[in-house]
Structures are given as C-alpha cells and as structure tokens.
Amino acid sequence: MTGMLSVAVHRGASGVRFDRFQVPRRPAQTVLDVVTWIQRETDPTLAYRFACRVGMCGSCAMTVNGKPRWTCRTRVEAVAPDGRLTLEPLRNMPVVKDLVVDMAPFFAKWVKAEGVFTPRADLGTDFALVPPASPARAAADAAVECIGCGVCYSACDVVAWKPDYLGPAALNRAWTLLNDVRDGGQDARLAAVASDAGCHACHSHGSCTQCCPKALSPTASIAGLKRAVLRAALRGEA
C-alpha cells in the first residue's frame, strides 16, 4: 500500500487546535506507527504516550476518528480507508499536552469505589484457596482482565454529563472485588457504589462495552452492582 495519509493532530492543552501532517502510508501500519513517524520525522515536540506497543499496557490510548482506541492495535486500513485520520486525546480527562491526558482523576475514582482489595480478617496466614473451576472463581474472573487504560471512561457519556460519576472502569473493579470471596471490604464497597455518583447513575448506553479493547462488559458489571445494592437494601444492609 502506497500514498500519503492526511493526519490532523490535536495540539496544546487548552482550546481546540489541530496541526496537519502528511504521513507515508505503509502496509500493516498502525495508528501508533503514524504518531511515532510524525514525532520522529516531522515534529519532535509532539507529546504522546506509549510503552509496550503490543496491547499489554494500554498507555497508547487516544481518540481516533472520534472513537477511543489503543493505537498500537488499531490498523490504519481499518479506521481510515479514505486516508484521513483525526487524532485527539482521550475525553473526560484533563489534557496535559497534545495527546497526553492526566489519568489521576480516573484512578482516584477507583479509590472512591473501594476498588482496593481488603483481605478478610478470618483468612489466617495461609493462602486462601479458590479452586479455578469453582463458581466463586468464575464470578471474580469475569471482569478481572481490565488494565485501566481509560478507553471505557473516555467513551462514557455519563462521565461527560456528570463529572463526579465513578465511571465504568472503577465500577467494574468494584464488581470484581465484590465477587472475590477473599475480600472483606464489601460493606464499604456497596455503600460507595450505591452513592449518587455510583452504579445507579449509569444509563446503560453500553458505550464502554462497545469500546473495551479487552472485550469486557463494564455494562454487565454495573448491572450486577445494581442488583447487589438492591439485595443489600432489602436486607437492610445499605
């Protein structure tokens, strides 16, 4: 495949400004390849993040032609058949510079959702055994593959409307821990996700599930939290 790509790249930290670049088109080219070429060959001041380049870390996530994606796993031919790319930072987070966002508010919401493992006091000093084939392990494993890349958070309309909403990633983490039989922080976790900024704020649009590069379903996790909060309320525990 030959020719040139027309690439518009968000620049700066405030306002809306785009610089345009002509980038050689290559076979099997990824969007991250395009950004790297621009930074190395045309404009060394361009700021962006990447690390593993193979879909393990999620740090290269950006908004590509209007949709949040991992750029290392996104082929140009799949998203820009007409040879046009518009690259922006992830939405719903403060922009540091160009294509780099501040992830601190995103991870702060994991803490607010009690997304930290709290061992049960009665587990003793030995390892807690949860057999791999058990229903308890299956429930905990269903959403555990999240790596915190922020793609679902960027795709979430509710976060855009309601900035204090905990968001799909934090709630997905809370659901994983709620299903972990070794965890002892369930009361605090249920109280956190039952707040006005918690699971009931979700409108079930499913944008998080549609965009998740790991094919997880935060929508399903949030629905599970809603059921858990209701059961706790009926028992008089929430």
Side-chain angles (χ1 to χ4, degrees):
M1 185 178 296
T2 59
M4 302 296 287
L5 295 167
S6 177
V7 186
V9 181
H10 175 276
R11 304 306 301 269
S14 61
V16 180
R17 172 192 149 207
F18 288 88
D19 286 351
R20 298 188 177 275
F21 302 91
Q22 294 295 308
V23 179
R25 197 160 190 171
R26 309 294 189 198
Q29 189 176 30
T30 68
V31 174
L32 183 57
D33 291 334
V34 171
V35 180
T36 301
W37 188 94
I38 292 171
Q39 198 268 348
R40 292 180 179 177
E41 304 295 335
T42 304
D43 188 346
T45 69
L46 177 63
Y48 67 106
R49 286 194 183 111
F50 75 97
C52 72
R53 299 180 67 93
V54 292
M56 295 291 290
C57 69
S59 62
C60 69
M62 305 171 197
T63 303
V64 181
N65 285 357
K67 183 177 179 179
R69 301 174 179 272
W70 289 353
T71 55
C72 71
R73 297 291 293 271
T74 301
R75 301 277 184 173
V76 170
E77 60 189 15
V79 295
D82 61 352
R84 296 179 180 274
L85 281 172
T86 299
L87 306 179
E88 301 168 86
L90 291 177
R91 295 167 182 163
N92 298 331
M93 286 175 269
V95 179
V96 177
K97 181 185 176 186
D98 299 342
L99 300 170
V100 178
V101 296
D102 182 358
M103 301 283 287
F106 168 76
F107 287 115
K109 290 183 177 181
W110 285 48
V111 177
K112 291 181 180 178
E114 296 292 333
V116 179
F117 179 75
T118 305
R120 278 172 32 202
D122 60 349
L123 289 178
T125 58
D126 203 357
F127 290 107
L129 299 179
V130 184
S134 68
R137 179 62 179 266
D141 281 356
V144 78
E145 293 297 328
C146 173
I147 62 173
C149 67
V151 164
C152 65
Y153 189 85
S154 176
C156 180
D157 292 328
V158 179
V159 174
W161 305 331
K162 186 179 177 68
D164 62 339
Y165 173 50
L166 293 175
L171 292 171
N172 182 78
R173 173 63 175 168
W175 173 245
T176 297
L177 292 175
L178 199 66
N179 284 294
D180 193 329
V181 296
R182 304 165 302 166
D183 190 275
Q186 307 298 11
D187 292 343
R189 190 166 297 115
L190 282 172
V193 303
S195 69
D196 290 341
C199 60
H200 294 296
C202 174
H203 290 201
S204 301
H205 289 173
S207 299
C208 54
T209 298
Q210 293 172 15
C211 291
C212 178
K214 300 284 286 184
L216 302 180
S217 179
T219 307
S221 298
I222 294 168
L225 288 176
K226 291 177 179 179
R227 294 191 298 270
V229 168
L230 176 59
R231 287 194 294 267
L234 291 175
R235 294 193 301 265
E237 299 173 4

